[in-house]
Amino acid sequence: MDDSNTILEVSHISKTFRSKNIFGRTTSEVSAVNDVSFRLQKQRTFGIVGESGCGKSTLARLVLRLIEADGGRVMYQGHNLLALGGEELRKLRRDIQMVFQDPFSSLNPSMTLLDNVAFPLWVNGTSKQDGRIAAHRYLEAVGIPRSSAERYPQSLSGGQRQRVAIARALVLEPKIVIADEAVSALDKSIQAQALNLFHELQQDFRLSMIFISHDLHVVELMSDTVMVMYLGMVVEVASVEDVYAQPYHPYTQALFKSTPSMDVTHKKLDGFKLSGELPSPLNPPSGCRFRTRCPMAMETCAEHMPELIEVGDGHTVACHLYGEADVARRAI
Ligand SMILES: Nc1ncnc2c1ncn2[C@@H]1O[C@H](COP(=O)(O)OP(=O)(O)OP(=O)(O)O)[C@@H](O)[C@H]1O
Ligand SMILES: [Mg+2]
């Protein structure tokens, strides 16, 4: 992978949520994100997929420092965002904006659409008038007509509200947008429109995007590279073409098998569909965290956590089924 094309590099980031009792003793620990690394390429989309609770949103929040990581680095423009503070952090963080699933959480119901979009600029010192002029531009860019600018969020449909939330994220002219289940709450037809809008905006504003979804279809439509997470860990990373043509990890294969119309044939796992609940992250399985649901599990899977190894060009997988010998054989 070409380093000069990397806009954001996340290395070995982890987060364990700890609950404490009134005496300050730790009573429970949730390993939400464990040693995750990835690179976002300029003007590309990096998709993150995995079941509910696998740590996707926590990872996004860690990158933005909405919560503090236990360790790791987030390199952006030569700085480790996790080590910065004050004005320096505020300035760089402005370049990374987030769009959430529920636009209600990011829109103020007592402000007009125009003022909702202008608000981030006002907070950053732009005058009322200039903020509103810019807000008009961004509302237009997301397809909200001028005549609707004075309406309030409650009067809009879900799809329109999400457009306003996107305008609000873009008004600060970010270089990176993190969309966390940004289209998941929308009806299928509206979802398709929202995905098209993201595509157009990405071109127009030269955005790099992290696109988070539990929906394989959405990730396939949006992403250049896909990272599959399971219980806080990365199990597979590959270009969208490679992962959809040949998923290696039994969990990735199972995700396909469990998604109607995305049934990728794989002889080792014929007939296997993902079943059973995600184990509790309070007490994750030893070794490979997927082993308790994996039909291919071996003794070693309980004893050793598999490392990510390269199985193809830029295609990595963390699974004991694929050893070094396997990789060497493929290289011949
Ligand atoms: N503030 C918190 N305190 C304690 N546990 C948390 C906290 N936030 C998240 N978790 C736990 O961390 C794990 C990962 O949660 P996260 O919200 O990141 O998953 P997700 O992949 O985004 O799921 P979803 O698809 O449902 O949005 C879950 O077990 C969740 O309960
Ligand atoms: Mg989430």
Side-chain angles (χ1 to χ4, degrees), residues 17 30 32 51-58 181 281:
F17 291 107
V30 174
E51 282 168 287
S52 179
C54 72
K56 305 179 296 293
S57 297
T58 303
E181 303 282 6

Side-chain angles (χ1 to χ4, degrees), residues 212-227:
I212 296 174
S213 180
H214 63 277
D215 185 334
L216 280 170
H217 290 283
V218 167
V219 170
E220 185 188 21
L221 288 171
M222 288 305 298
S223 312
D224 299 291
T225 305
V226 177
M227 178 166 88

